[in-house]
Amino acid sequence: MVKRLEVCLTPALLDLYSIEDSIVVVIDILRATSSIVYGIDNGATAIIPVAQVEDCLGYAKHGYLLAAERNGEVVTGYDFGNSPFSYTPEKVAGKTVVLTTTNGTKALHLANARAYQVVIGSFLNLEALCGWLKQQNRSVLLLCAGWKDNFNLEDTLFAGAVVAQLKNEFSHFDDSCVAAEDLYQLAKADLRGYINKSSHSHRLAVLNIEEDVKFCLQYNICKAIPVLEGERLVALQA
């Protein structure tokens, strides 16, 4: 079996990849997948990703927390958005969160339609994720959520960080892997400074959430690997 390591730079390109036998790692560093990892690590029972803001409302009668973000802002009337500081143990432990975001939840649904397995990646769980992926006899696709189907910098940098740790475990990797790793090697000495060049970083700066950005760029503060089981993201059991 040829184990492939590939990077899909935007969900708009996902149809070009054969992922039926692959583990897909969904990446939305600022901020959806970082918050998902943090929430599951802090004891959330499950996080249910939904496509549309209106889809959250159907879960309200179950007593779930409702989280909705569009264009970086919390949607009016919802419990919170996708700031990692909303996913602390005090807020989410033992609870189920229903979440919709501009980019991350869309990428999750696209991956789930065809992938063998879907897991969540962030700098917060980089070491745990890579350690687990090394043990799997599967091809891996790193799916960057991007920004409204366009390439973005921060997701690609995280993909490059994964490639740097995994490339020797695979018999094939693509040019997107090479480009992502080269970007990461260029940026890793000052990750925040490099990401400051990104368009999304500037969008978030207008919202005055620099602390969110800095939080999402921390390495290895979480052990949890969220995995999609049916409609729910739950902690992967070793």
Side-chain angles (χ1 to χ4, degrees):
M1 176 182 176
V2 176
K3 287 175 60 179
R4 304 184 314 276
L5 178 61
E6 299 170 306
V7 174
C8 180
L9 295 170
T10 158
L13 298 174
L14 187 59
D15 285 344
L16 302 178
Y17 294 85
S18 298
I19 59 172
E20 287 74 13
D21 296 316
S22 298
I23 297 168
V24 174
V25 180
V26 175
I27 305 163
D28 186 2
I29 295 303
L30 301 178
R31 297 160 283 167
T33 61
S34 300
S35 295
I36 290 168
V37 167
Y38 192 53
I40 294 294
D41 201 69
N42 283 331
T45 302
I47 295 176
I48 302 174
V50 297
Q52 302 298 328
V53 171
E54 296 77 13
D55 296 336
C56 286
L57 295 177
Y59 292 88
K61 61 185 177 183
H62 299 292
Y64 297 160
L65 295 171
L66 305 183
E69 169 270 332
R70 284 296 181 270
N71 298 314
E73 297 184 280
V74 179
V75 178
T76 302
Y78 289 79
D79 295 310
F80 46 81
N82 65 349
S83 168
F85 296 111
S86 296
Y87 292 78
T88 60
E90 296 78 15
K91 294 180 179 179
V92 303
K95 297 180 181 178
T96 294
V97 180
V98 183
L99 171 68
T100 184
T101 72
T102 306
N103 304 294
T105 51
K106 175 185 176 180
L108 271 163
H109 283 276
L110 289 173
N112 193 40
R114 291 194 293 124
Y116 171 78
Q117 190 173 35
V118 178
V119 298
I120 301 298
S122 72
F123 286 105
L124 308 184
N125 72 339
L126 174 63
E127 184 176 321
L129 174 69
C130 290
W132 178 77
L133 289 171
K134 287 177 182 178
Q135 298 171 8
Q136 310 309 304
N137 190 30
R138 290 277 172 186
S139 294
V140 172
L141 177 79
L142 305 172
L143 173 57
C144 301
W147 176 257
K148 298 183 178 180
D149 278 343
N150 288 301
F151 168 92
N152 79 8
L153 198 56
E154 63 273 10
D155 294 347
T156 305
L157 289 172
F158 176 77
V162 176
V163 171
Q165 292 201 29
L166 294 188
K167 64 181 181 180
N168 292 333
E169 308 290 326
F170 290 82
S171 51
H172 170 81
F173 51 91
D174 63 3
D175 285 358
S176 295
C177 286
V178 176
E181 187 192 4
D182 280 357
L183 274 175
Y184 175 68
Q185 297 296 351
L186 184 65
K188 67 180 182 181
D190 181 13
L191 201 57
R192 179 65 191 99
Y194 197 87
I195 285 179
N196 194 51
K197 300 177 182 181
S198 74
S199 59
H200 195 42
S201 180
H202 288 282
R203 280 189 290 271
L204 294 177
V206 173
L207 301 175
N208 195 30
I209 49 177
E210 171 64 18
E211 292 306 309
D212 279 19
V213 176
K214 290 193 293 187
F215 186 92
C216 293
L217 300 182
Q218 296 178 97
Y219 287 93
N220 304 320
I221 66 168
C222 297
K223 299 293 186 184
I225 303 170
V227 59
L228 196 57
E229 293 187 358
E231 67 170 6
R232 294 168 172 255
L233 287 159
V234 298
L236 181 71
Q237 301 300 312

